[in-house]
Amino acid sequence: MEKTNVMRILDQKKISYEAFEYPHEEGICVDGVKVAELLGQNKEEVFKTLVAIGHSKHYYVFVIPVQAELDLKKAAKAVKEKSVELIPVKDLLGITGYIRGGCSPIGMKKQFTTTLHISAKSLSHIIFSAGKIGYQVKMNPLDLAKVIRVEFIDIIR
């Protein structure tokens, strides 16, 4: 399995993780529920990374369970913004350095305020993109807080 930048960052910080690879076609993004199925993992433990822009023009990262939907009002409140909206997919690479389906909260071009859904706090591990389509990492969500600044808040519908 090839090492992604996310895995290299975790290795460098000596954070324990497990890497997974799932079958994929180059450039074709599958939804997170499908990724959970392909990995044979519980979909409650698989998270997706969303990027939004606030009323203030600041960017924010929200990491939520794959089957959930981001509540924009709760998300705005969590980051103390008047409002937030998801950025267009075409802007993702320029802002984060990642493409849709391969966006990870670790290793973005800049470190944005990151909010992880509160359900992650009660899990022993979560699974999320390793920064490339077809690759995921599984790790303790509290260890994620050792790599990036993260808050645990209810941000889903």
PDB file of all heavy atoms in Angstrom, residues 49-53 59-62 70 85-88 92 95-96 103-104 108 112:
ATOM      1  N   THR A  49     -15.177  14.350   5.493  1.00  0.00           N
ATOM      2  CA  THR A  49     -14.624  15.675   5.763  1.00  0.00           C
ATOM      3  C   THR A  49     -15.246  16.685   4.810  1.00  0.00           C
ATOM      4  O   THR A  49     -15.157  16.521   3.596  1.00  0.00           O
ATOM      5  CB  THR A  49     -13.085  15.652   5.572  1.00  0.00           C
ATOM      6  OG1 THR A  49     -12.547  14.614   6.395  1.00  0.00           O
ATOM      7  CG2 THR A  49     -12.459  16.978   5.928  1.00  0.00           C
ATOM      8  N   LEU A  50     -15.893  17.698   5.380  1.00  0.00           N
ATOM      9  CA  LEU A  50     -16.545  18.733   4.573  1.00  0.00           C
ATOM     10  C   LEU A  50     -15.874  20.072   4.851  1.00  0.00           C
ATOM     11  O   LEU A  50     -15.439  20.336   5.978  1.00  0.00           O
ATOM     12  CB  LEU A  50     -18.031  18.822   4.941  1.00  0.00           C
ATOM     13  CG  LEU A  50     -18.832  17.516   4.813  1.00  0.00           C
ATOM     14  CD1 LEU A  50     -20.229  17.692   5.409  1.00  0.00           C
ATOM     15  CD2 LEU A  50     -18.925  17.076   3.362  1.00  0.00           C
ATOM     16  N   VAL A  51     -15.814  20.914   3.828  1.00  0.00           N
ATOM     17  CA  VAL A  51     -15.202  22.231   3.984  1.00  0.00           C
ATOM     18  C   VAL A  51     -16.249  23.291   3.670  1.00  0.00           C
ATOM     19  O   VAL A  51     -16.963  23.199   2.671  1.00  0.00           O
ATOM     20  CB  VAL A  51     -13.969  22.386   3.067  1.00  0.00           C
ATOM     21  CG1 VAL A  51     -13.306  23.745   3.278  1.00  0.00           C
ATOM     22  CG2 VAL A  51     -12.961  21.256   3.322  1.00  0.00           C
ATOM     23  N   ALA A  52     -16.331  24.280   4.559  1.00  0.00           N
ATOM     24  CA  ALA A  52     -17.329  25.338   4.403  1.00  0.00           C
ATOM     25  C   ALA A  52     -16.648  26.701   4.515  1.00  0.00           C
ATOM     26  O   ALA A  52     -15.536  26.819   5.034  1.00  0.00           O
ATOM     27  CB  ALA A  52     -18.403  25.203   5.485  1.00  0.00           C
ATOM     28  N   ILE A  53     -17.348  27.712   4.025  1.00  0.00           N
ATOM     29  CA  ILE A  53     -16.873  29.087   4.168  1.00  0.00           C
ATOM     30  C   ILE A  53     -17.900  29.840   5.006  1.00  0.00           C
ATOM     31  O   ILE A  53     -19.109  29.656   4.831  1.00  0.00           O
ATOM     32  CB  ILE A  53     -16.623  29.756   2.790  1.00  0.00           C
ATOM     33  CG1 ILE A  53     -15.980  31.133   2.984  1.00  0.00           C
ATOM     34  CG2 ILE A  53     -17.908  29.816   1.969  1.00  0.00           C
ATOM     35  CD1 ILE A  53     -15.391  31.722   1.707  1.00  0.00           C
ATOM     36  N   TYR A  59     -12.492  29.839   6.276  1.00  0.00           N
ATOM     37  CA  TYR A  59     -12.843  28.457   5.952  1.00  0.00           C
ATOM     38  C   TYR A  59     -12.874  27.612   7.217  1.00  0.00           C
ATOM     39  O   TYR A  59     -12.114  27.862   8.157  1.00  0.00           O
ATOM     40  CB  TYR A  59     -11.838  27.856   4.969  1.00  0.00           C
ATOM     41  CG  TYR A  59     -11.886  28.529   3.619  1.00  0.00           C
ATOM     42  CD1 TYR A  59     -10.910  29.442   3.234  1.00  0.00           C
ATOM     43  CD2 TYR A  59     -12.935  28.257   2.736  1.00  0.00           C
ATOM     44  CE1 TYR A  59     -10.970  30.068   2.000  1.00  0.00           C
ATOM     45  CE2 TYR A  59     -13.003  28.880   1.509  1.00  0.00           C
ATOM     46  CZ  TYR A  59     -12.015  29.786   1.145  1.00  0.00           C
ATOM     47  OH  TYR A  59     -12.084  30.411  -0.079  1.00  0.00           O
ATOM     48  N   TYR A  60     -13.751  26.606   7.191  1.00  0.00           N
ATOM     49  CA  TYR A  60     -13.909  25.702   8.334  1.00  0.00           C
ATOM     50  C   TYR A  60     -14.020  24.277   7.829  1.00  0.00           C
ATOM     51  O   TYR A  60     -14.548  24.031   6.751  1.00  0.00           O
ATOM     52  CB  TYR A  60     -15.176  26.052   9.127  1.00  0.00           C
ATOM     53  CG  TYR A  60     -15.135  27.457   9.662  1.00  0.00           C
ATOM     54  CD1 TYR A  60     -15.722  28.503   8.962  1.00  0.00           C
ATOM     55  CD2 TYR A  60     -14.472  27.748  10.860  1.00  0.00           C
ATOM     56  CE1 TYR A  60     -15.657  29.809   9.434  1.00  0.00           C
ATOM     57  CE2 TYR A  60     -14.410  29.051  11.341  1.00  0.00           C
ATOM     58  CZ  TYR A  60     -14.998  30.075  10.624  1.00  0.00           C
ATOM     59  OH  TYR A  60     -14.930  31.351  11.087  1.00  0.00           O
ATOM     60  N   VAL A  61     -13.553  23.337   8.661  1.00  0.00           N
ATOM     61  CA  VAL A  61     -13.619  21.920   8.325  1.00  0.00           C
ATOM     62  C   VAL A  61     -14.560  21.243   9.318  1.00  0.00           C
ATOM     63  O   VAL A  61     -14.462  21.462  10.528  1.00  0.00           O
ATOM     64  CB  VAL A  61     -12.204  21.291   8.390  1.00  0.00           C
ATOM     65  CG1 VAL A  61     -12.271  19.790   8.128  1.00  0.00           C
ATOM     66  CG2 VAL A  61     -11.279  21.978   7.390  1.00  0.00           C
ATOM     67  N   PHE A  62     -15.478  20.425   8.775  1.00  0.00           N
ATOM     68  CA  PHE A  62     -16.428  19.683   9.598  1.00  0.00           C
ATOM     69  C   PHE A  62     -16.286  18.200   9.261  1.00  0.00           C
ATOM     70  O   PHE A  62     -16.327  17.826   8.092  1.00  0.00           O
ATOM     71  CB  PHE A  62     -17.863  20.163   9.331  1.00  0.00           C
ATOM     72  CG  PHE A  62     -18.059  21.618   9.684  1.00  0.00           C
ATOM     73  CD1 PHE A  62     -18.054  22.596   8.695  1.00  0.00           C
ATOM     74  CD2 PHE A  62     -18.223  22.005  11.010  1.00  0.00           C
ATOM     75  CE1 PHE A  62     -18.213  23.938   9.015  1.00  0.00           C
ATOM     76  CE2 PHE A  62     -18.385  23.354  11.340  1.00  0.00           C
ATOM     77  CZ  PHE A  62     -18.373  24.323  10.344  1.00  0.00           C
ATOM     78  N   LEU A  70     -24.696  17.537   7.363  1.00  0.00           N
ATOM     79  CA  LEU A  70     -24.257  18.696   8.148  1.00  0.00           C
ATOM     80  C   LEU A  70     -25.422  19.654   8.326  1.00  0.00           C
ATOM     81  O   LEU A  70     -26.126  19.966   7.369  1.00  0.00           O
ATOM     82  CB  LEU A  70     -23.105  19.408   7.417  1.00  0.00           C
ATOM     83  CG  LEU A  70     -22.465  20.585   8.154  1.00  0.00           C
ATOM     84  CD1 LEU A  70     -21.725  20.112   9.398  1.00  0.00           C
ATOM     85  CD2 LEU A  70     -21.506  21.321   7.223  1.00  0.00           C
ATOM     86  N   GLU A  85     -21.563  28.038   4.537  1.00  0.00           N
ATOM     87  CA  GLU A  85     -22.064  27.236   3.422  1.00  0.00           C
ATOM     88  C   GLU A  85     -20.922  26.397   2.876  1.00  0.00           C
ATOM     89  O   GLU A  85     -19.750  26.795   2.965  1.00  0.00           O
ATOM     90  CB  GLU A  85     -22.684  28.112   2.337  1.00  0.00           C
ATOM     91  CG  GLU A  85     -21.753  29.090   1.693  1.00  0.00           C
ATOM     92  CD  GLU A  85     -22.459  30.000   0.683  1.00  0.00           C
ATOM     93  OE1 GLU A  85     -23.443  30.664   1.065  1.00  0.00           O
ATOM     94  OE2 GLU A  85     -21.995  30.032  -0.467  1.00  0.00           O
ATOM     95  N   LEU A  86     -21.262  25.209   2.377  1.00  0.00           N
ATOM     96  CA  LEU A  86     -20.236  24.321   1.835  1.00  0.00           C
ATOM     97  C   LEU A  86     -19.618  24.988   0.611  1.00  0.00           C
ATOM     98  O   LEU A  86     -20.312  25.659  -0.151  1.00  0.00           O
ATOM     99  CB  LEU A  86     -20.843  22.965   1.469  1.00  0.00           C
ATOM    100  CG  LEU A  86     -21.323  22.134   2.658  1.00  0.00           C
ATOM    101  CD1 LEU A  86     -21.981  20.845   2.191  1.00  0.00           C
ATOM    102  CD2 LEU A  86     -20.176  21.828   3.614  1.00  0.00           C
ATOM    103  N   ILE A  87     -18.322  24.804   0.448  1.00  0.00           N
ATOM    104  CA  ILE A  87     -17.650  25.402  -0.708  1.00  0.00           C
ATOM    105  C   ILE A  87     -17.959  24.568  -1.950  1.00  0.00           C
ATOM    106  O   ILE A  87     -18.211  23.365  -1.846  1.00  0.00           O
ATOM    107  CB  ILE A  87     -16.123  25.521  -0.497  1.00  0.00           C
ATOM    108  CG1 ILE A  87     -15.471  24.139  -0.351  1.00  0.00           C
ATOM    109  CG2 ILE A  87     -15.800  26.424   0.686  1.00  0.00           C
ATOM    110  CD1 ILE A  87     -13.950  24.154  -0.428  1.00  0.00           C
ATOM    111  N   PRO A  88     -17.930  25.189  -3.142  1.00  0.00           N
ATOM    112  CA  PRO A  88     -18.130  24.402  -4.363  1.00  0.00           C
ATOM    113  C   PRO A  88     -16.995  23.378  -4.525  1.00  0.00           C
ATOM    114  O   PRO A  88     -15.844  23.682  -4.190  1.00  0.00           O
ATOM    115  CB  PRO A  88     -18.064  25.453  -5.482  1.00  0.00           C
ATOM    116  CG  PRO A  88     -18.265  26.776  -4.808  1.00  0.00           C
ATOM    117  CD  PRO A  88     -17.756  26.605  -3.398  1.00  0.00           C
ATOM    118  N   LEU A  92     -12.319  23.027  -3.956  1.00  0.00           N
ATOM    119  CA  LEU A  92     -11.736  22.186  -2.901  1.00  0.00           C
ATOM    120  C   LEU A  92     -10.219  22.029  -3.027  1.00  0.00           C
ATOM    121  O   LEU A  92      -9.490  22.249  -2.056  1.00  0.00           O
ATOM    122  CB  LEU A  92     -12.419  20.814  -2.897  1.00  0.00           C
ATOM    123  CG  LEU A  92     -12.201  19.953  -1.669  1.00  0.00           C
ATOM    124  CD1 LEU A  92     -12.742  20.622  -0.421  1.00  0.00           C
ATOM    125  CD2 LEU A  92     -12.864  18.592  -1.847  1.00  0.00           C
ATOM    126  N   ILE A  95      -8.168  25.224  -2.210  1.00  0.00           N
ATOM    127  CA  ILE A  95      -8.232  25.641  -0.800  1.00  0.00           C
ATOM    128  C   ILE A  95      -7.537  24.645   0.121  1.00  0.00           C
ATOM    129  O   ILE A  95      -6.806  25.030   1.023  1.00  0.00           O
ATOM    130  CB  ILE A  95      -9.707  25.845  -0.375  1.00  0.00           C
ATOM    131  CG1 ILE A  95     -10.299  27.039  -1.141  1.00  0.00           C
ATOM    132  CG2 ILE A  95      -9.826  26.069   1.139  1.00  0.00           C
ATOM    133  CD1 ILE A  95     -11.826  27.104  -1.107  1.00  0.00           C
ATOM    134  N   THR A  96      -7.773  23.346  -0.112  1.00  0.00           N
ATOM    135  CA  THR A  96      -7.280  22.327   0.824  1.00  0.00           C
ATOM    136  C   THR A  96      -6.072  21.527   0.328  1.00  0.00           C
ATOM    137  O   THR A  96      -5.348  20.946   1.122  1.00  0.00           O
ATOM    138  CB  THR A  96      -8.392  21.292   1.135  1.00  0.00           C
ATOM    139  OG1 THR A  96      -8.670  20.548  -0.067  1.00  0.00           O
ATOM    140  CG2 THR A  96      -9.642  21.957   1.657  1.00  0.00           C
ATOM    141  N   CYS A 103     -10.523  14.007   0.650  1.00  0.00           N
ATOM    142  CA  CYS A 103     -10.282  15.142   1.544  1.00  0.00           C
ATOM    143  C   CYS A 103     -10.146  14.649   2.986  1.00  0.00           C
ATOM    144  O   CYS A 103     -11.025  13.968   3.491  1.00  0.00           O
ATOM    145  CB  CYS A 103     -11.431  16.143   1.420  1.00  0.00           C
ATOM    146  SG  CYS A 103     -11.111  17.698   2.245  1.00  0.00           S
ATOM    147  N   SER A 104      -9.034  14.981   3.615  1.00  0.00           N
ATOM    148  CA  SER A 104      -8.760  14.569   4.989  1.00  0.00           C
ATOM    149  C   SER A 104      -8.593  15.801   5.877  1.00  0.00           C
ATOM    150  O   SER A 104      -8.087  16.819   5.410  1.00  0.00           O
ATOM    151  CB  SER A 104      -7.474  13.746   5.029  1.00  0.00           C
ATOM    152  OG  SER A 104      -7.172  13.367   6.354  1.00  0.00           O
ATOM    153  N   MET A 108      -4.026  19.445   5.318  1.00  0.00           N
ATOM    154  CA  MET A 108      -4.520  20.443   4.365  1.00  0.00           C
ATOM    155  C   MET A 108      -3.451  21.514   4.171  1.00  0.00           C
ATOM    156  O   MET A 108      -2.566  21.664   5.007  1.00  0.00           O
ATOM    157  CB  MET A 108      -5.809  21.082   4.876  1.00  0.00           C
ATOM    158  CG  MET A 108      -6.985  20.151   4.825  1.00  0.00           C
ATOM    159  SD  MET A 108      -8.519  21.051   5.122  1.00  0.00           S
ATOM    160  CE  MET A 108      -9.688  19.707   4.968  1.00  0.00           C
ATOM    161  N   PHE A 112      -7.236  24.750   9.131  1.00  0.00           N
ATOM    162  CA  PHE A 112      -8.477  25.475   9.376  1.00  0.00           C
ATOM    163  C   PHE A 112      -9.106  24.989  10.683  1.00  0.00           C
ATOM    164  O   PHE A 112      -8.827  23.882  11.129  1.00  0.00           O
ATOM    165  CB  PHE A 112      -9.468  25.251   8.226  1.00  0.00           C
ATOM    166  CG  PHE A 112      -8.928  25.695   6.890  1.00  0.00           C
ATOM    167  CD1 PHE A 112      -8.663  24.779   5.894  1.00  0.00           C
ATOM    168  CD2 PHE A 112      -8.683  27.043   6.636  1.00  0.00           C
ATOM    169  CE1 PHE A 112      -8.152  25.183   4.655  1.00  0.00           C
ATOM    170  CE2 PHE A 112      -8.173  27.463   5.406  1.00  0.00           C
ATOM    171  CZ  PHE A 112      -7.913  26.530   4.414  1.00  0.00           C
TER     172      PHE A 112
END
